[in-house]
Structures are given as structure tokens and as C-alpha cells.
């Protein structure tokens, strides 16, 4: 009887654990988001952390081309970041960066 109860508890615990944990890993970010983040990180690395005007414009152009391949909110976030890079009225990229990170997480 004790073995039967122990086995039942083990099965119930395993079943409850499977219901609480995801059955598969979370889906990875889209190829467009992965490429956008890769391009941004490469530009930052190549410039030593402070991008000059030429690097900023080149990155914006690359991201704009990439956004043409993206869809939905990813397209909007990538386009928004690309535009923010070259918009002289924007002095803080944090909102565009936060949105890109949120969408591409």
C-alpha cells in the first residue's frame, strides 16, 4: 500500500510539474530582429561605443533596408530605431532602444 501511495504521489507531482513548466523552449526572436540587433551591436563595437555621423547614417540605412523585409510591430520598431538614429530632433535613443528590445525579446 505504501508503495502504491508513493507511486501515485510521484506521478501526481510529475504531472503537476509538466503542467506548470512549458513543454518547449520559448520561440527565438525573428531573423529580422536578430539581424537588427547584430547590426546595432557591430556598429557600437566598431565605433568604440560612440558612433560618429557616418557610422550612424550607415547603420540607419542598413536597418531601413532590413525593415523592408520585416513585418508588423518588428518592422515598426526597426524603422523607428533607424529613423531615431538620424533624426536631429531626437537626443535620447533610449525610447527607440527600449521599443526595439521589447518587440524583439
Amino acid at each position: 500500500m505504501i508503495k502504491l501511495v508513493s507511486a501515485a504521489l510521484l506521478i501526481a507531482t510529475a504531472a503537476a510539474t509538466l503542467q506548470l513548466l512549458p513543454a518547449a523552449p520559448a520561440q527565438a526572436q525573428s531573423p529580422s530582429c536578430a539581424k537588427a540587433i547584430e547590426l546595432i551591436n557591430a556598429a557600437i563595437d566598431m565605433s568604440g561605443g560612440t558612433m560618429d555621423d557616418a557610422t550612424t547614417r550607415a547603420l540607419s540605412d542598413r536597418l531601413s533596408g532590413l525593415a523592408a523585409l520585416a513585418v508588423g510591430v518588428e518592422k515598426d520598431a526597426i524603422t523607428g530605431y533607424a529613423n531615431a538614429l538620424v533624426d536631429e530632433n531626437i537626443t535620447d535613443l533610449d525610447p527607440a532602444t527600449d521599443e526595439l528590445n521589447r518587440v524583439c525579446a
Side-chain angles (χ1 to χ4, degrees):
M1 181 74 171
I2 292 175
K3 287 183 181 180
L4 185 59
V5 171
S6 296
L9 283 174
L10 180 62
I11 291 170
T13 302
T17 301
L18 289 175
Q19 288 177 349
L20 295 175
L21 296 176
Q27 185 175 357
Q29 62 189 358
S30 74
S32 296
C33 278
K35 187 64 176 178
I37 291 169
E38 178 185 321
L39 289 171
I40 293 165
N41 289 337
I44 291 169
D45 290 344
M46 289 176 18
S47 68
T50 50
M51 293 186 284
D52 61 15
D53 189 52
T55 303
T56 302
R57 292 197 179 283
L59 176 58
S60 178
D61 290 344
R62 288 187 183 120
L63 290 173
S64 294
L66 178 63
L69 303 173
V71 294
V73 293
E74 291 175 356
K75 180 176 187 163
D76 295 341
I78 294 169
T79 300
Y81 191 89
N83 291 339
L85 284 170
V86 294
D87 187 335
E88 294 177 7
N89 295 321
I90 296 179
T91 58
D92 183 10
L93 284 175
D94 285 347
T97 302
D98 291 346
E99 179 64 6
L100 183 67
N101 287 332
R102 184 191 68 77
V103 168
C104 290

